[in-house]
């Protein structure tokens, strides 16, 4: 397992230079776009922050995970395909597990990290607006 993580980190760092490096910015940017959209929607409906709700609301856990998957599933799929293409061009072989790992890092992690804070910021902004209208 240590060899896999060592290989993965070496190849991830090696991907910063070389062909198709644009995907290292494009895929997280698209995931963040969906996180912002969904975080604002959560704030509008008064839902708890996404990542927090996954752990604190066990009755909704599967629903939340499926909604997150639906939001970034296409990004994850394209991240996996693009990484497999990169591997074939640079390494000459395809490593599906590594491609899935990289896709998870580039698609799901930014989504998970951004959706909750966007919700909190939007709710705080909404509260400030209410306070201003009451004055």
């Amino acid at each position: 397992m240590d060899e896999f993580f060592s290989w993965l980190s070496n190849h991830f760092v090696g991907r910063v230079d070389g062909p198709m490096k644009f995907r290292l910015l494009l895929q997280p940017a698209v995931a963040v776009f969906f996180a912002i959209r969904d975080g604002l929607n959560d704030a509008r409906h008064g839902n708890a922050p996404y990542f927090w709700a996954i752990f604190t609301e066990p009755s909704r856990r599967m629903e939340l995970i499926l909604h997150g998957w639906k939001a970034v599933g296409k990004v994850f799929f394209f991240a996996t395909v693009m990484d497999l293409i990169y591997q074939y061009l640079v390494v000459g072989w395809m490593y599906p597990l590594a491609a899935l790992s990289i896709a998870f890092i580039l698609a799901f992690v930014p989504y998970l990290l951004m959706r909750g804070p966007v919700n909190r910021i939007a709710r705080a902004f909404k509260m400030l607006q209410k306070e201003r209208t009451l004055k």
Side-chain angles (χ1 to χ4, degrees), residues 50 53-54 57 60-69 115:
Y50 180 73
I54 288 175
E57 298 179 21
R60 292 187 58 218
R61 183 173 296 144
M62 190 53 70
E63 171 194 344
L64 291 168
I65 291 171
L66 288 175
H67 183 268
W69 172 252
R115 185 171 171 178

Side-chain angles (χ1 to χ4, degrees), residues 21-39:
K21 64 183 174 189
F22 68 93
R23 77 192 194 293
L24 296 176
L25 296 174
L26 179 67
Q27 291 159 349
V30 173
V32 166
F33 169 78
F34 287 122
I36 291 170
R37 181 195 67 181
D38 293 340

Side-chain angles (χ1 to χ4, degrees), residues 20-106:
M20 299 174 63
K21 64 183 174 189
F22 68 93
R23 77 192 194 293
L24 296 176
L25 296 174
L26 179 67
Q27 291 159 349
V30 173
V32 166
F33 169 78
F34 287 122
I36 291 170
R37 181 195 67 181
D38 293 340
L40 291 174
N41 192 32
D42 288 345
R44 196 173 306 117
H45 291 93
N47 295 335
Y50 180 73
F51 196 52
W52 181 254
I54 288 175
F55 292 109
T56 59
E57 298 179 21
S59 62
R60 292 187 58 218
R61 183 173 296 144
M62 190 53 70
E63 171 194 344
L64 291 168
I65 291 171
L66 288 175
H67 183 268
W69 172 252
K70 183 179 176 185
V72 293
K74 291 177 185 171
V75 178
F76 181 80
F77 174 76
F78 286 116
T80 303
V81 169
M82 289 176 76
D83 198 73
L84 288 170
I85 292 168
Y86 168 84
Q87 290 176 11
Y88 184 74
L89 292 174
V90 173
V91 183
W93 194 253
M94 291 189 250
Y95 300 93
L97 187 59
L100 291 172
S101 301
I102 296 296
F104 179 80
I105 292 168
L106 294 177

